[in-house]
Amino acid sequence: MKNNTTILIIITWVLLLSAVSILLNDMREFDFDQFKDFQNWAKTANKNDPWFTSKNAIQWRYYAINAGLFFWRGYLIYGFSYFLSILKEIENGKYFSAKNINYFKKIGNIFIWYTISVFVLRFLLAAIGGSTFNFFNELKGEFTFLIPVGLAFYILAEIFKRAKHTEEENNLTI
């Protein structure tokens, strides 16, 4: 079992490092010059135009939403890091530990909150950019995958909780 756990730990590290690398590359490619333009907004803004619909405000909202998307992707990567903790507990022979139960719940929370937040941010991004937002096209992507996976981790947490309770009862009867 230790060899299988070691292989899973290596695979998890490779996936985590790849995901972090992709996120950092996407952040590097993002146009951060928009922030410099926004800092000069007070100097260039027409005081008679409503702020909410001004070009600079729209650019700022686009920048803020993309920063939010970067944050949530980082948060999802953080959620994947809990797999390392679960594997460490399994390697130590603590399959049904309270830590594993909490880790499964945390992973489920992260997956569900990530999906909902990114869905809302993409809707806002489409509304600001004037592009079309098709609910069903958005559901075809990662959303159809991550919500059921998040719910599955909640179910795993409940299964592990009951297994822990059963294991404790069995230890008492011997």
Side-chain angles (χ1 to χ4, degrees), residues 119 134-145:
F119 186 76
N134 190 337
F135 179 77
F136 295 106
N137 283 341
E138 290 295 328
L139 285 178
K140 287 180 187 176
E142 61 201 51
F143 300 112
T144 49
F145 177 67

Side-chain angles (χ1 to χ4, degrees), residues 141-170:
E142 61 201 51
F143 300 112
T144 49
F145 177 67
L146 287 178
I147 288 206
V149 169
L151 294 173
F153 280 111
Y154 276 121
I155 292 169
L156 274 174
E158 189 61 32
I159 290 170
F160 271 57
K161 186 177 179 181
R162 290 187 185 198
K164 180 183 178 196
H165 180 69
T166 303
E167 183 181 56
E168 289 171 353
E169 284 181 1
N170 286 343

Side-chain angles (χ1 to χ4, degrees), residues 12-13 15-17 19-20 23 70-87 99-115 146 149-150 153:
T12 304
W13 271 111
L15 289 174
L16 282 173
L17 293 174
V20 168
L23 176 62
F70 289 139
F71 166 78
W72 283 106
R73 283 177 57 194
Y75 190 60
L76 184 65
I77 293 169
Y78 170 71
F80 278 112
S81 71
Y82 280 115
F83 286 115
L84 292 171
S85 302
I86 291 171
L87 290 171
K99 287 182 180 180
N100 277 350
I101 295 167
N102 287 333
Y103 293 148
F104 281 127
K105 285 181 183 178
K106 286 180 182 180
I107 292 171
N109 273 335
I110 289 171
F111 279 25
I112 291 171
W113 278 109
Y114 168 82
T115 305
L146 287 178
V149 169
F153 280 111

Side-chain angles (χ1 to χ4, degrees), residues 20 117-118 125 152:
V20 168
S117 300
V118 169
L125 195 59

Side-chain angles (χ1 to χ4, degrees), residues 2-164:
K2 186 162 176 89
N3 289 337
N4 292 339
T5 307
T6 305
I7 291 170
L8 288 173
I9 289 172
I10 291 169
I11 290 170
T12 304
W13 271 111
V14 168
L15 289 174
L16 282 173
L17 293 174
S18 299
V20 168
S21 172
I22 291 168
L23 176 62
L24 291 175
N25 186 50
D26 288 348
M27 289 175 69
R28 184 185 58 82
E29 290 178 355
F30 185 69
D31 185 16
F32 284 108
D33 290 333
Q34 292 175 351
F35 186 69
K36 293 176 188 172
D37 293 340
F38 182 73
Q39 288 175 330
N40 296 325
W41 172 75
K43 298 175 186 172
T44 62
N46 183 356
K47 305 298 182 196
N48 295 329
D49 288 342
W51 181 83
F52 194 72
T53 58
S54 70
K55 181 182 174 188
N56 287 330
I58 291 171
Q59 287 177 341
W60 174 248
R61 282 180 259 166
Y62 176 77
Y63 174 81
I65 290 172
N66 276 304
L69 287 171
F70 289 139
F71 166 78
W72 283 106
R73 283 177 57 194
Y75 190 60
L76 184 65
I77 293 169
Y78 170 71
F80 278 112
S81 71
Y82 280 115
F83 286 115
L84 292 171
S85 302
I86 291 171
L87 290 171
K88 184 178 178 184
E89 286 288 309
I90 289 172
E91 191 174 50
N92 293 334
K94 300 175 184 174
Y95 299 100
F96 306 117
S97 69
K99 287 182 180 180
N100 277 350
I101 295 167
N102 287 333
Y103 293 148
F104 281 127
K105 285 181 183 178
K106 286 180 182 180
I107 292 171
N109 273 335
I110 289 171
F111 279 25
I112 291 171
W113 278 109
Y114 168 82
T115 305
I116 292 168
S117 300
V118 169
F119 186 76
V120 168
L121 288 174
R122 284 189 183 171
F123 172 77
L124 292 173
L125 195 59
I128 289 170
S131 65
T132 59
F133 178 80
N134 190 337
F135 179 77
F136 295 106
N137 283 341
E138 290 295 328
L139 285 178
K140 287 180 187 176
E142 61 201 51
F143 300 112
T144 49
F145 177 67
L146 287 178
I147 288 206
V149 169
L151 294 173
F153 280 111
Y154 276 121
I155 292 169
L156 274 174
E158 189 61 32
I159 290 170
F160 271 57
K161 186 177 179 181
R162 290 187 185 198
K164 180 183 178 196

